[in-house]
């Protein structure tokens, strides 16, 4: 959307009448303000944010290094400005991605069906419910003493209702299936960016991540490549080089020496070496909208630098109130990377 043609100084005066004018002036001012902005794709709810960004109204914090704007969430003016910006960004995202929202809802049959708990979610929730622990003072529930990664007893219980995959590709397939469900729900919800999986499904996905990253032994070099790419896609949040080294040493001992070629036993010339589609920054199901994609700052050239920047943002008061995908888009990582870093910081 473009605002270059809007006379913001005039708009500020009209909006002042719309918000605080005499009876009879208010409706006329709102109609006049709408006529000034609607040709540029905005609605009345966008006006406070437009004016604030242009220096009118609430005193917004100035952007810092890398273009990041940090809000003081103890400042009521900043809180209002942040909420306006968030709401306006979400409305623009819904406008720009209306076809995707419609496609997801049509694929499931209805909006209610998108969010309806699946049979698998119900079974997993029932499996971990005996481990739930409630806490006073509105503290989050824990399960068998953990907030995120499931305990061994929970892993065993979940495996009884849905058997765990025994190969790296199979574990990755299920992990990505849960991710797609979460992303579909986020799209249908207008990019509200909640944790859309049930408790049981979220615990299951967490353990599947560990299985792909380090727990399941690789059967061949193709599995090692899948594992290593999964770790690299994590931008530092899935960093287990020891698992890769263990795989390579085990395969070498089994006959995959340094001089082996693609014609070596166990890896035929026709073997499928998985593609690297996950190299794209961000989540293709959620963050493809033009208003949410942002190139990573040029100074963040390595995974370590990007991981450090995510940690820095999450340590700030504003960062703790930002969504996963907002942080991901600003830094240049995937939302799942931000989630993993946030969880490990909390742990």
């Amino acid at each position: 959307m473009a605002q270059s043609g809007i006379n913001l100084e005039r708009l500020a005066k009209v909006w002042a009448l719309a918000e605080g004018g005499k009876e009879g002036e208010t409706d006329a001012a709102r109609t006049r303000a709408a006529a000034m902005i609607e040709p540029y794709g905005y609605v009345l709810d966008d006006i406070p944010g437009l004016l604030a960004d242009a220096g009118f109204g609430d005193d917004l914090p100035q952007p810092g290094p890398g273009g990041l704007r940090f809000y003081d969430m103890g400042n009521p003016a900043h809180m209002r400005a942040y909420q306006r910006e968030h709401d306006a960004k979400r409305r623009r995202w819904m406008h720009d991605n209306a076809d995707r929202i419609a496609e997801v809802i049509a694929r499931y049959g209805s909006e209610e069906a998108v969010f309806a708990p699946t049979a698998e979610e119900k079974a997993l929730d029932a499996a971990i419910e005996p481990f739930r622990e409630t806490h006073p003072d509105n503290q989050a529930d824990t399960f068998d003493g953990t907030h995120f990664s499931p305990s061994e007893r929970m892993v065993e219980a979940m495996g009884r209702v849905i058997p765990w995959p025994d190969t790296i590709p199979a574990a990755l397939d299920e992990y990505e299936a849960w991710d797609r469900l979460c992303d579909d729900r986020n799209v249908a919800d207008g990019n509200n960016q909640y944790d859309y999986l049930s408790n049981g499904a979220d615990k299951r996905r967490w353990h599947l991540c560990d299985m792909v990253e380090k727990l399941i032994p690789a059967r061949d070099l193709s599995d090692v490549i899948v594992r290593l790419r999964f770790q690299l896609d994590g931008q530092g949040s899935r960093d287990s080089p020891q698992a890769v080294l263990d795989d390579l040493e085990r395969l070498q001992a089994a006959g995959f020496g340094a001089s082996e070629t693609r014609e070596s036993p166990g890896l035929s010339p026709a073997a499928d070496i998985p593609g690297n589609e996950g190299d794209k920054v961000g989540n293709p199901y959620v963050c493809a909208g033009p208003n949410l994609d942002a190139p990573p700052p040029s100074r963040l050239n390595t995974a370590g630098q990007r991981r450090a920047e995510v940690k820095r943002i999450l340590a700030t008061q504003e960062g703790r109130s930002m969504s996963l995908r907002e942080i991901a888009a600003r830094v240049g990582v995937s939302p799942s990377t931000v989630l993993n870093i946030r969880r490990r910081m909390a742990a």
Side-chain angles (χ1 to χ4, degrees), residues 108 112-128 157-158 160-163 174 178 181 185 196-202 204:
Y108 283 79
E112 291 74 16
V114 178
F115 298 98
T118 66
E120 292 80 6
E121 284 180 296
K122 292 178 181 178
L124 292 169
D125 283 352
I128 70 168
M158 288 188 285
R160 286 195 293 268
V161 296
I162 303 178
E174 185 183 340
W178 287 116
L181 175 60
R185 288 172 175 174
Y196 291 100
L197 297 181
S198 72
N199 285 317
D202 186 62
R204 174 107 178 167

Side-chain angles (χ1 to χ4, degrees), residues 8-343:
L8 292 171
E9 185 173 357
R10 182 182 174 194
L11 179 62
K13 295 177 181 178
V14 174
W15 192 243
L17 288 174
E19 288 196 311
K22 297 178 182 179
E23 187 175 357
E25 291 180 336
T26 300
D27 291 341
R30 291 176 67 87
T31 300
R32 188 176 177 188
M36 295 175 66
I37 63 171
E38 286 177 353
Y40 301 94
Y42 293 100
V43 296
L44 288 175
D45 287 341
D46 293 324
I47 291 179
L50 289 172
L51 296 178
D53 288 343
F56 299 94
D58 288 338
D59 183 22
L60 282 177
Q62 294 301 309
L68 297 179
R69 192 193 303 272
F70 290 96
Y71 295 84
D72 177 4
M73 302 312 285
N75 182 331
H78 284 203
M79 291 180 65
R80 290 193 299 271
Y82 176 81
Q83 189 61 47
R84 286 198 302 267
E85 181 181 356
H86 173 77
D87 293 344
K89 183 186 297 184
R90 182 166 173 253
R91 285 193 299 273
R92 290 194 293 271
W93 190 93
M94 294 176 68
H95 178 272
D96 293 337
N97 293 273
D99 290 344
R100 290 174 59 203
I101 295 172
E103 184 276 325
V104 168
I105 293 175
R107 180 156 34 94
Y108 283 79
S110 69
E111 184 174 353
E112 291 74 16
V114 178
F115 298 98
T118 66
E120 292 80 6
E121 284 180 296
K122 292 178 181 178
L124 292 169
D125 283 352
I128 70 168
E129 186 59 31
F131 302 101
R132 182 190 292 273
E133 300 152 340
T134 58
H135 302 280
D137 302 326
N138 294 321
Q139 296 182 51
D141 292 352
T142 54
F143 289 84
D144 207 17
T146 70
H147 283 286
F148 306 116
S149 183
S151 66
E152 290 184 6
R153 295 196 303 168
M154 293 169 63
V155 170
E156 182 180 352
M158 288 188 285
R160 286 195 293 268
V161 296
I162 303 178
W164 291 104
D166 58 2
T167 68
I168 293 173
L172 180 60
D173 284 346
E174 185 183 340
Y175 177 87
E176 292 178 338
W178 287 116
D179 261 2
R180 287 192 297 272
L181 175 60
C182 187
D183 293 336
D184 282 346
R185 288 172 175 174
N186 182 70
V187 170
D189 199 30
N191 200 39
N192 228 350
Q193 304 178 10
Y194 294 132
D195 291 332
Y196 291 100
L197 297 181
S198 72
N199 285 317
D202 186 62
K203 302 292 187 188
R204 174 107 178 167
R205 183 174 60 166
W206 184 275
H207 190 65
L208 287 165
C209 177
D210 286 344
M211 295 177 78
V212 179
E213 178 187 343
K214 58 190 175 185
L215 296 182
I216 300 178
R219 302 164 301 170
D220 50 34
L221 293 181
S222 180
D223 278 6
V224 178
I225 291 172
V226 172
R227 164 162 286 153
L228 185 56
R229 284 182 172 158
F230 184 73
Q231 292 187 15
L232 291 174
D233 288 344
Q235 300 285 349
S237 65
R238 302 190 288 257
D239 189 12
S240 299
Q242 186 62 49
V244 176
L245 179 60
D246 290 345
D247 287 337
L248 294 175
E249 289 179 340
R250 185 173 54 256
L251 292 174
Q252 183 183 50
F256 287 90
S259 61
E260 303 286 356
T261 67
R262 286 181 60 89
E263 285 71 31
S264 300
L267 189 65
S268 69
D272 288 332
I273 302 299
N276 201 14
E277 298 176 0
D279 279 350
K280 298 187 289 294
V281 171
N283 190 315
Y285 293 94
V286 178
C287 290
N291 290 301
L292 290 182
D293 281 336
S298 59
R299 70 185 189 284
L300 304 178
N301 295 320
T302 68
Q305 290 173 328
R306 290 189 288 272
R307 183 170 65 253
E309 179 68 5
V310 171
K311 289 181 178 178
R312 185 187 71 80
I313 293 174
L314 288 172
T316 66
Q317 189 170 13
E318 188 221 357
R320 288 190 289 272
S321 65
M322 291 171 64
S323 67
L324 299 177
R325 288 176 175 80
E326 283 179 304
I327 298 174
R330 292 187 182 189
V331 179
V333 297
S334 67
S336 60
T337 295
V338 180
L339 176 61
N340 286 333
I341 293 175
R342 187 179 71 180
R343 284 174 166 175

